[in-house]
Amino acid sequence: MLTIGLAQIDIHAGNPRYNTETMKQQIRRAEDAGCDVIIFPELTIPGYFIGDVWEQADFIADAIACGEEIRQAADTITVIFGNVAMDPHRRQKDGRPRKYNALFIAQNRRFIGPENSPYPYYIKTLLPNYREFSDTRYFTSLTEVAAEQHTDPTALLSPVTLSLGAAGNLCLGPLICEDSWDDSYPLKPMETLAAQYPIDLFINISASPFTLGKNRRRHRLFSKTLKKLHCPAVYVNCTGIQNNGKNIYTFDGSSSAYNKDGSLAYEGTAFAEELAIVRYNETTRHFATPQQNHQPPTEIASIYTALHYGLTSFLAASGLQKVVIGVSGGIDSAVNAALYATVLPPENLLLVNMPTRYNSETTRSLAKKTALNLNCPYAVIPVEDSVLLTEQQLQQVTNRQPRAARAPLTITQAVLENVQARDRSSRILAAVAAAFGGVFTCNANKAELSVGYATLYGDSAGFLALTGDLWKHQIYDLARYLNDHVFKREVIPQGTLDIVPSAELSAHQKVDEGRGDPLIYPYHDYLLAAFIEFWQRPTPATILRRYAAGTLEAYLGCPVQIRDIFPTTAAFIADLEKWWNLFAGFAVAKRIQSPPILALSRRAYGYDLRESQLTPYYSQEYKELKKQLLQS
């Protein structure tokens, strides 16, 4: 019976020394627990998302030196871990010394490599280069090594033979993360290894960010493949948070063990560090460990858990202890306030209401009630006078260049609306946060970010857009979840859930009269989600085709009948073009300048979606179909 420790640890990206000390502590714990083997995640020592720090030779040297310390620690236990490896005699495409994303196996204080590997470690075979992943920017793959040696990569894919003393040998199939997510690759490492060698156990070490539904997909994929190959596997993932500058990713761990029939024998606790002990029968090739399988949480429960965990970790990593939130009485700011209240003590969370003449007594009282429910400090700082001052200053602008033509300033209602938003964030919240000794938030949701329905340097500002990857309907679901399951009382007032969403920046946005945002969220949430989150991303031509065929609701998954919203085809097309022009136009510039977003979905704004500032484009097919529909 082989006793294996699955070391699901919180990796601190960019801090090899911290991670190495954590590994040593876990190795000692595993030894005390009688483990034969301990397995750590992918790139345990350097971390995964560290950007172009990968180009720093001194950092790489330090990470490799830390790996040598782990090798020395592997005297009475076998240690499997991820680290960067380097071949200083070869060059990558960028001209720098070659680096590999590698899996190391240390036993008896020496490294054991795969049978056919040119190095004493396993090289990641499949390097993801999509969404937030840029592995090919920094690493060389096993397939490239094979091409360089004028051989097929299947010749280099080989197992590691692990000596167990009196118990004999164990044939391990080493894999790193993407090597098991091989649906779209012509080379499939797991199938290749199983076809060529009598694999006793696959080992997959990963640094796999959390996204909604990803664990269920992984279980389906592993179960299907392992059942076909008739081979068991263990999967070890990290916890913690890492970022690529614009996106903050949570890592949920959820390390697992699978039997040879594909069944799930063990699943680690999500978003928690743990050293899980599993016992593997090398004769039957099954795990004898009592099963630990968790009931899959609901989507909204997963959203809350990831947000709470990510926020807690981000504040701790940033050393931030005090936060200021602008509260309007609306749903977005109330949900953000409640989320921060689950992490910070009440005295460290300051809520600020900044009314003008357009803010109703309804929303003012709801903002105050939210603060009372959360027992947080609350301040009211009106912006009416400063907005009027700015308007007067603009009206009094004079031309002080006598040889230049006068350029009159046009002060429209839209200009004044944006003045209010900027005054609240860039002036008041920024100053209050500095005086409070903290930072201020961005309360934006994903629908607003999609079309730029936020003022640049105004309500789009802040140190973090915690809910920036949530659609409006998810914000409402989260509000109810916070009341019912987290606080178990009404902290977000029912009135906030009931009123129409509104920016309250003009007389045309009176919530008491049911006048609010121009977005029709039960439809636009789903339309905009299609533009960014669908793997085959649609354009207006796709949407118009579906509309003409009467299948648009099913395609988008929206809960409303579109023809109930737009009585005519002309109205539907006008709305589509309005939001497409914003989504693909100026909203891109706003998104580029927006705060970091905590990522949860299949695609978040930031470096998960690479955007260029382009002119909104309509294909010829769209133009012809539009003409046909409007003439019919």
Side-chain angles (χ1 to χ4, degrees):
M1 190 75 70
L2 188 67
T3 303
I4 303 173
L6 310 182
Q8 180 173 293
I9 65 171
D10 181 345
I11 293 176
H12 288 206
N15 195 339
R17 176 52 48 201
Y18 176 91
N19 296 328
T20 301
E21 293 305 315
T22 300
M23 292 175 71
K24 290 178 180 178
Q25 293 171 13
Q26 294 296 328
I27 289 170
R28 288 192 290 269
R29 286 186 60 200
E31 289 173 332
D32 292 342
C35 288
D36 303 292
V37 179
I38 182 171
I39 308 172
F40 292 93
E42 176 184 11
L43 294 173
T44 315
I45 289 175
Y48 191 33
F49 290 126
I50 61 173
D52 285 350
V53 170
W54 289 119
E55 298 172 357
Q56 297 176 3
D58 291 343
F59 178 86
I60 301 300
D62 207 45
I64 292 172
C66 287
E68 288 296 311
E69 292 183 30
I70 298 302
R71 178 176 63 82
Q72 290 295 329
D75 49 0
T76 62
I77 188 173
T78 300
V79 182
I80 301 175
F81 65 98
N83 194 13
V84 59
M86 186 176 70
D87 185 340
H89 305 295
R90 298 185 182 276
R91 290 290 179 266
Q92 297 193 161
K93 295 172 184 175
D94 60 8
R96 294 183 175 88
R98 180 172 294 180
K99 297 184 290 292
Y100 300 114
N101 182 341
L103 179 151
F104 289 84
I105 298 180
Q107 187 180 58
N108 298 323
R109 295 184 175 177
R110 67 184 185 90
F111 288 133
I112 308 169
E115 292 177 9
N116 299 338
S117 173
Y119 302 101
Y121 46 78
Y122 169 77
I123 300 169
K124 189 173 182 177
T125 303
L126 307 179
L127 300 184
N129 195 37
Y130 54 84
R131 290 198 57 197
E132 67 267 28
F133 304 110
S134 300
D135 286 35
T136 56
R137 180 180 176 91
Y138 307 112
F139 302 115
T140 297
S141 70
L142 186 68
T143 56
E144 293 174 272
V145 173
E148 185 177 69
Q149 296 186 0
H150 306 290
T151 188
D152 191 273
T154 58
L156 297 185
L157 273 170
S158 53
V160 176
T161 301
L162 193 64
S163 175
L164 301 176
N169 295 332
L170 193 70
C171 187
L172 296 182
L175 302 158
I176 302 177
C177 203
E178 189 82 355
D179 294 341
S180 294
W181 297 83
D182 57 11
D183 303 48
S184 302
Y185 293 91
L187 177 63
K188 303 188 182 303
M190 291 180 74
E191 293 185 12
T192 298
L193 282 165
Q196 297 182 133
Y197 301 96
I199 302 296
D200 293 313
L201 179 67
F202 283 114
I203 292 177
N204 183 300
I205 61 172
S206 288
S208 185
F210 169 83
T211 53
L212 290 170
K214 190 174 186 178
N215 284 338
R216 288 192 296 272
R217 184 182 167 220
R218 189 189 75 247
H219 289 327
R220 288 195 302 269
L221 184 149
F222 269 78
S223 179
K224 178 182 176 182
T225 302
L226 296 174
K227 186 175 182 180
K228 180 172 69 173
L229 302 180
H230 206 60
C231 187
V234 291
Y235 161 87
V236 181
N237 190 26
C238 62
T239 61
I241 60 167
Q242 299 185 41
N243 73 86
N244 59 15
K246 288 292 285 184
N247 298 111
I248 298 160
Y249 294 97
T250 60
F251 291 76
D252 65 324
S254 298
S255 303
S256 305
Y258 300 88
N259 291 313
K260 64 182 180 181
D261 61 358
S263 61
L264 182 62
Y266 178 88
E267 183 180 18
T269 305
F271 298 109
E273 284 193 279
E274 67 175 15
L275 177 64
I277 309 297
V278 297
R279 290 177 173 80
Y280 172 69
N281 188 321
E282 56 270 29
T283 302
T284 63
R285 299 202 300 169
H286 258 72
F287 289 93
T289 300
Q291 288 198 353
Q292 177 177 305
N293 298 334
H294 301 286
Q295 189 68 25
T298 63
E299 179 178 275
I300 199 62
S302 293
I303 287 172
Y304 168 73
T305 302
L307 286 172
H308 177 79
Y309 179 78
L311 179 60
T312 303
S313 302
F314 185 72
L315 291 176
S318 305
L320 297 171
Q321 298 179 344
K322 293 185 176 183
V323 172
V324 175
I325 300 180
V327 287
S328 63
I331 191 70
D332 296 307
S333 60
V335 165
N336 272 271
L339 285 168
Y340 279 87
T342 66
V343 175
L344 294 172
E347 63 272 16
N348 286 9
L349 186 62
L350 173 58
L351 307 189
V352 182
N353 183 244
M354 298 160 286
T356 68
R357 73 187 97 165
Y358 302 120
N359 291 94
S360 65
E361 185 57 39
T362 298
T363 53
R364 294 189 200 196
S365 63
L366 288 171
K368 182 178 181 180
K369 189 174 182 181
T370 300
L372 289 171
N373 290 347
L374 295 173
N375 195 31
C376 294
Y378 177 68
V380 178
I381 306 177
V383 297
E384 184 72 32
D385 290 345
S386 59
V387 172
L388 290 174
L389 174 61
T390 302
E391 182 179 9
Q392 292 169 6
Q393 290 176 321
L394 293 177
Q395 291 170 341
Q396 295 168 6
V397 169
T398 58
N399 177 25
R400 297 185 180 277
Q401 166 54 277
R403 289 180 292 181
R406 183 175 184 273
L409 300 179
T410 303
I411 308 170
T412 65
Q413 180 60 43
V415 169
L416 292 177
E417 290 179 18
N418 288 328
V419 167
Q420 294 173 61
R422 289 193 186 96
D423 202 42
R424 286 169 172 156
S425 293
S426 297
R427 188 177 73 88
I428 292 179
L429 288 181
V432 170
F436 190 54
V439 291
F440 71 95
T441 65
C442 174
N443 300 328
N445 60 63
K446 199 168 186 175
E448 294 172 349
L449 290 171
S450 294
V451 295
Y453 189 58
T455 301
L456 199 58
Y457 319 125
D459 45 353
S460 65
F463 85 105
L464 173 67
L466 180 61
T467 54
D469 201 22
L470 295 182
W471 300 102
K472 196 74 167 184
H473 66 275
Q474 293 174 316
I475 296 286
Y476 278 100
D477 290 343
L478 184 56
R480 299 183 186 96
Y481 186 85
L482 285 161
N483 280 349
D484 296 342
H485 299 281
V486 178
F487 289 93
K488 294 183 171 54
R489 59 187 177 87
E490 186 182 284
V491 294
I492 298 173
Q494 185 61 42
T496 296
L497 287 157
D498 293 339
I499 60 170
V500 61
S502 175
E504 288 194 300
L505 293 172
S506 73
H508 302 291
Q509 297 175 328
K510 293 183 177 180
V511 294
D512 291 333
E513 297 177 7
R515 297 191 232 169
D517 296 344
L519 285 155
I520 304 168
Y521 293 107
Y523 164 60
H524 289 127
D525 263 3
Y526 299 89
L527 172 68
L528 297 169
F531 288 154
I532 176 177
E533 292 183 5
F534 282 19
W535 195 247
Q536 298 295 335
R537 296 176 60 203
T539 66
T542 314
I543 301 302
L544 207 53
R545 278 199 309 271
R546 294 283 185 168
Y547 173 81
T551 60
L552 184 56
E553 291 90 348
Y555 175 69
L556 298 178
C558 70
V560 294
Q561 290 297 309
I562 292 167
R563 292 190 184 274
D564 291 341
I565 302 172
F566 307 107
T568 66
T569 298
F572 172 80
I573 291 175
D575 179 85
L576 175 62
E577 292 185 356
K578 171 186 176 180
W579 298 115
W580 175 259
N581 288 341
L582 288 168
F583 169 79
F586 189 55
V588 176
K590 291 185 175 183
R591 288 195 291 269
I592 290 171
Q593 298 180 72
S594 67
I597 294 171
L598 198 148
L600 300 170
S601 71
R602 286 178 289 182
R603 176 161 274 178
Y605 288 119
Y607 291 154
D608 192 356
L609 181 72
R610 314 295 168 91
E611 298 188 277
S612 297
Q613 296 185 62
L614 307 171
T615 302
Y617 179 76
Y618 293 89
S619 66
Q620 189 60 35
E621 179 193 6
Y622 175 83
K623 294 176 181 178
E624 292 173 358
L625 185 54
K626 173 184 174 181
K627 184 177 179 181
Q628 292 172 16
L629 289 173
L630 292 177
Q631 288 177 346
S632 62

